[in-house]
Amino acid sequence: MSTLSNAFTFRGGCHCGQLRVAFSSALDPASIIPRACDCSFCQKHGAAYVSDPAGQLSVIMQNPDALRRYRQGSNTAEFLLCDRCGVLVAVVFEHDARIYGAVNARSLEGPTGFGCAVPASPQLLAPGEKVVRWSQLWVPDVELVTSGT
């Protein structure tokens, strides 16, 4: 993945360290508004997602078994959780041979400077409408990498 010029890189991951995330965006952090999905799964995990269609997102696993994938609702999106500690770090979906994703802002470390979270209701959209919306909002070409450490 190439580096974005003038980008901010936000790092984080799960509680136990098996999953790490790196989200890069050239957007001013204050202009990035986390979207708090109102579905019961995301609410129970306290998730609020950030993304940038011109940004980059990597999910780094200590080993392939560290990643638990979960689908619910329309089965359009796949949630990425730590197999050990259960933290939800990101959500992805595949479309036209690309992986799009958004990172759970609450899995990022330190103050991010993001705006206040706003509610989002993807469950009100049909699966095709979700794909259109997410392919416009989410980071394309997400990297899922095994670190081997």
Side-chain angles (χ1 to χ4, degrees):
M1 194 175 276
S2 63
T3 303
L4 296 169
S5 61
N6 302 321
F8 295 92
T9 299
F10 305 94
R11 299 187 187 284
C14 69
H15 185 257
C16 72
Q18 282 201 118
L19 296 181
R20 305 294 303 155
V21 293
F23 168 58
S24 297
S25 175
L27 297 172
D28 176 356
S31 73
I32 299 174
I33 308 299
R35 297 174 304 278
C37 177
D38 65 0
C39 81
S40 61
F41 181 81
C42 291
Q43 283 186 347
K44 288 180 186 284
H45 282 86
Y49 300 100
V50 294
S51 57
D52 173 2
Q56 297 173 338
L57 175 59
S58 296
V59 177
I60 304 101
M61 304 164 271
Q62 280 194 355
N63 64 68
D65 295 333
L67 184 65
R68 173 74 50 158
R69 297 169 184 259
Y70 180 75
R71 290 181 185 264
Q72 59 94 43
S74 68
N75 289 313
T76 307
E78 190 170 55
F79 299 93
L80 306 181
L81 303 102
C82 176
D83 188 48
R84 183 182 298 154
C85 69
V87 170
L88 170 61
V89 296
V91 61
V92 296
F93 82 99
E94 289 188 51
H95 179 65
D96 290 338
R98 298 175 89 178
I99 299 174
Y100 292 82
V103 66
N104 181 1
R106 295 181 175 139
S107 73
L108 298 174
E109 297 167 351
T112 60
F114 298 151
C116 293
V118 298
S121 296
Q123 60 190 337
L124 298 177
L125 302 174
E129 293 172 313
K130 291 176 187 180
V131 168
V132 169
R133 177 175 168 77
W134 294 339
S135 57
Q136 293 170 350
L137 289 176
W138 289 9
V139 176
D141 304 317
V142 173
E143 286 188 322
L144 302 174
V145 181
T146 302
S147 69
T149 59

